[in-house]
Amino acid sequence: MDLHRYLGGTTLQSLKLATIPTSSSSRFAFQPIHKTPTLDFRLRYSQSKKPPLPHLIGALSTSSAVQTSSDTESPYNIGGKPQWKAAIDFKWIRDNEEAVAANIKNRNSNANLELVLELYEKLLNLQKEVERIRAERNTVANKMKGKMEPSERQRLIEEGKSLKEGLAALEENLVKLTDELQREAQRIPNMTHPDVPIGGEDSSTIRKMVGSPRKFSFPVKDHVQLGKELDLFDFDAAAEISGSKFYYLKNEAVLLEIGLVNWSLSEVMKRGFIPLTTPEIVRSSVVEKCGFQPRGTTTQVYSIDDTDQCLIGTAEIPVGGLHMDSILADSLLPLKYVAFSHCFRTEAGAAGTATRGLYRVHQFSKVEMFVFCRPEESEYYHEELIKIEEDLFSSLGLHFKTLDMASEDLGAPAYRKFDVEAWMPGLERFGEISSASNCRDYQSRRLGIRYRPSEPVTQAKKTKPNLAPTQFVHTLNATACAVPRMIVCLLENYQQQDGSVVIPEPLRPFMGGLHFIAPKS
């Protein structure tokens, strides 16, 4: 599930994570619960088959920034001092002012482009003045090296002192102006793919429709009623222990969660993804660098009092930070990870029958895919990620549709986003079960993740080639399995007239061979 639309303002900062071993391959033995062969996967950092290189659609995502609301302070503390800086291409923003302005409007962003350009112009002028004063000070210093009359030396000393004091004031103003420019520019959202529909969520278009709704010959129950009759959940006890929107899973529902996690991990690993478990507490700056806002009255992030840390809302955040402030070798790309984690969301403002039961909760398990790749390959891997999601949900026999999400529903980091919504007969509607986003270089410019192309650059009149300049990688993320909503889909779609629920065949080996969940006698 996509987190960007939910994290609308919260609290966070920066975390160094353990690096993945750099060996060319690793073996992972995966053993399901019941009498199934061990799956032996060889995972490689570089693929044996290189993907085709799709056409490059301009440097649209060079204007990287965070979309914020008026009640946020990110990425600055109360004193206004920046905690980090994004590598924003201000010249590109200025040269493409019309396109950036249209994009801000299409995304319904509150970014102030006019102020950004005004501050940038002031910054350029101030930098020129600082350089001019520095040059004058150096000239005075050089004059004082020679022989001269004492009166002349004293005059130069006074002039040098005056220049030094003036330069210090200018440099202080330069720092403040740079910070203000960063703060405003980071509100500018990523650029948008030219094929993205313009407008709100209702403007999203259907890319694919898979299957058809199951026809029932008996009254359909929703997952809450099914869970109660089959003794699978306990919402009441969880509400007493933790509060509303928490739950206990019981009996076969526990096996179903573990089975879904193991099945989705094994399926994605077959496609060359490296498995991870991640920290579930991260620094606020890492969350901000990934494009989320941790402060504000409508936050979806749980922050930890008296610390700069918070609970993650998706594994996208710690996986995105895995190679923070790194230069990756070209031979390692693409880096493809599949991460299991628990996720925590405040779900501020969420209410109503559409969110009852397991559909919208504060804590859940999720399997998330994440890709670091070369810029020219990100659209290829975006299609690969949505194809993986569609294959997983098709194999479970779900009826679903894939949507190309409209501009106002993308969230600040996404260049393009595909959502998958599955039919939930008990809720009598489609519900989002996953998303796949291409963020291009929006996150990598904040996280400081680059790669160095392997081809050297040869310059004229030089016999030895120079190393190619580094470039920012592109990042993508997609949900393989958001467990609670998958449980909702499976219970409601596979319910039987006698009150039992059939387990889809792909999950049975991961649930001890269980074929169905029967009512308790």
Side-chain angles (χ1 to χ4, degrees):
M1 281 177 291
D2 178 49
L3 181 62
H4 294 271
R5 76 179 71 176
Y6 298 122
L7 299 190
T10 345
T11 293
L12 309 165
Q13 286 196 22
S14 165
L15 175 68
K16 265 297 181 187
L17 304 179
T19 56
I20 293 298
T22 56
S23 58
S24 60
S25 63
S26 303
R27 287 191 178 273
F28 298 90
F30 180 84
Q31 184 63 53
I33 295 175
H34 180 73
K35 294 184 179 180
T36 52
T38 298
L39 302 177
D40 186 20
F41 306 125
R42 179 172 292 276
L43 307 180
R44 295 178 174 83
Y45 283 108
S46 57
Q47 310 296 318
S48 58
K49 295 181 179 180
K50 292 291 183 181
L53 302 183
H55 67 284
L56 187 60
I57 306 182
L60 292 178
S61 58
T62 53
S63 58
S64 51
V66 176
Q67 188 175 19
T68 64
S69 58
S70 59
D71 57 357
T72 63
E73 290 188 74
S74 168
Y76 294 77
N77 59 22
I78 296 175
K81 183 178 179 181
Q83 298 170 352
W84 55 274
K85 285 187 174 66
I88 298 174
D89 191 339
F90 294 105
K91 183 178 183 299
W92 188 92
I93 295 175
R94 183 188 63 184
D95 294 344
N96 295 271
E97 178 182 355
E98 185 175 337
V100 175
N103 185 64
I104 291 173
K105 180 180 179 181
N106 291 339
R107 285 180 176 247
N108 195 27
S109 168
N110 64 355
N112 190 338
L113 178 60
E114 291 183 2
L115 178 57
V116 170
L117 295 177
E118 179 185 336
L119 292 172
Y120 181 52
E121 192 64 29
K122 288 181 179 179
L123 181 71
L124 293 178
N125 292 333
L126 185 56
Q127 286 175 334
K128 291 179 182 178
E129 182 64 14
V130 167
E131 291 303 318
R132 187 185 67 81
I133 299 299
R134 285 174 179 168
E136 285 189 20
R137 189 182 65 171
N138 291 337
T139 299
V140 170
N142 289 331
K143 287 180 179 179
M144 293 181 63
K145 294 179 181 178
K147 293 182 178 181
M148 62 187 68
E149 295 293 327
S151 59
E152 177 65 12
R153 182 174 295 278
Q154 184 60 36
R155 187 188 68 80
L156 290 176
I157 291 174
E158 293 297 329
E159 184 179 354
K161 182 179 179 182
S162 176
L163 289 172
K164 180 179 179 181
E165 292 173 351
L167 181 60
L170 288 176
E171 288 175 336
E172 183 178 351
N173 291 336
L174 185 62
V175 170
K176 291 179 180 179
L177 186 57
T178 300
D179 294 346
E180 185 179 1
L181 177 59
Q182 272 281 325
R183 182 168 60 249
E184 293 298 329
Q186 288 181 22
R187 294 176 179 169
I188 300 176
N190 201 350
M191 295 301 286
T192 306
H193 191 287
D195 293 339
V196 167
I198 305 302
E201 186 174 359
D202 293 341
S203 301
S204 301
T205 58
I206 298 177
R207 277 172 50 98
K208 180 184 289 189
M209 183 74 75
V210 176
S212 58
R214 177 188 167 190
K215 296 181 180 180
F216 295 87
S217 60
F218 56 89
V220 175
K221 303 171 184 176
D222 69 9
H223 73 283
V224 177
Q225 185 177 355
L226 288 166
K228 183 177 181 180
E229 294 176 358
L230 296 172
D231 196 22
L232 300 178
F233 318 134
D234 195 331
F235 293 102
D236 294 335
E240 290 293 327
I241 298 301
S242 303
S244 64
K245 297 187 183 297
F246 286 93
Y247 57 94
Y248 285 94
L249 293 184
K250 301 170 61 179
N251 299 313
E252 293 90 345
V254 177
L255 300 182
L256 186 55
E257 169 162 0
I258 296 172
L260 281 166
V261 170
N262 287 341
W263 166 75
S264 57
L265 275 173
S266 67
E267 288 299 313
V268 176
M269 287 167 63
K270 290 176 184 177
R271 293 161 170 84
F273 284 70
I274 301 165
L276 294 175
T277 60
T278 73
E280 293 170 1
I281 295 177
V282 297
R283 298 184 187 276
S284 61
S285 60
V286 178
V287 178
E288 292 168 343
K289 290 174 182 180
C290 288
F292 303 110
Q293 286 307 309
R295 299 183 187 275
T297 56
T298 58
T299 177
Q300 298 298 330
V301 174
Y302 283 106
S303 59
I304 302 174
D305 287 347
D306 301 321
T307 74
D308 67 343
Q309 297 170 313
C310 67
L311 304 179
I312 65 170
T314 171
E316 173 190 345
I317 295 168
V319 179
L322 182 63
H323 298 292
M324 188 169 65
D325 300 325
S326 299
I327 298 177
L328 304 173
D330 186 45
S331 59
L332 292 181
L333 298 179
L335 280 170
K336 301 160 68 175
Y337 295 107
V338 55
F340 167 75
S341 74
H342 297 100
C343 305
F344 306 87
R345 302 181 185 179
T346 67
E347 297 298 354
T353 57
T355 66
R356 68 192 297 257
L358 290 175
Y359 188 80
R360 196 178 297 284
V361 291
H362 291 309
Q363 175 184 336
F364 59 94
S365 301
K366 183 159 69 79
V367 177
E368 183 82 359
M369 297 178 284
F370 198 97
V371 176
F372 300 89
C373 69
R374 302 173 188 88
E376 64 271 19
E377 298 172 347
S378 62
E379 291 197 40
Y380 171 87
Y381 287 112
H382 197 196
E383 292 293 338
E384 179 183 276
L385 288 173
I386 192 63
K387 179 66 164 55
I388 292 173
E389 291 180 338
E390 292 170 346
D391 288 347
L392 292 175
F393 305 141
S394 294
S395 70
L396 294 179
L398 300 181
H399 169 45
F400 63 88
K401 58 184 178 180
T402 303
L403 302 173
D404 193 348
M405 301 308 292
S407 57
E408 293 180 20
D409 199 58
L410 294 180
Y415 173 67
R416 194 178 194 182
K417 179 164 73 75
F418 303 137
D419 277 7
V420 177
E421 295 184 355
W423 179 249
M424 301 175 179
L427 298 179
E428 298 183 325
R429 64 180 178 87
F430 284 95
E432 181 194 343
I433 58 173
S434 75
S435 67
S437 298
N438 181 2
C439 297
R440 292 170 65 89
D441 63 357
Y442 185 96
Q443 294 174 326
S444 62
R445 283 178 173 271
R446 287 160 171 71
L447 292 162
I449 306 173
R450 304 169 183 257
Y451 82 103
R452 190 180 299 279
S454 56
E455 298 81 7
V457 177
T458 303
Q459 295 183 353
K461 298 182 180 180
K462 287 190 176 181
T463 56
K464 293 184 178 180
N466 293 328
L467 291 175
T470 60
Q471 299 181 35
F472 288 102
V473 299
H474 281 194
T475 63
L476 305 96
N477 63 85
T479 305
C481 181
V483 170
R485 293 193 182 179
M486 289 302 296
I487 292 178
V488 172
C489 288
L490 297 178
L491 293 183
E492 294 189 359
N493 282 282
Y494 282 96
Q495 59 182 296
Q496 306 299 306
Q497 189 168 5
D498 63 359
S500 65
V501 173
V502 174
I503 303 299
E505 188 172 348
L507 296 179
R508 293 173 188 174
F510 299 90
M511 295 181 61
L514 191 68
H515 282 60
F516 59 88
I517 302 173
K520 308 298 183 292
S521 59

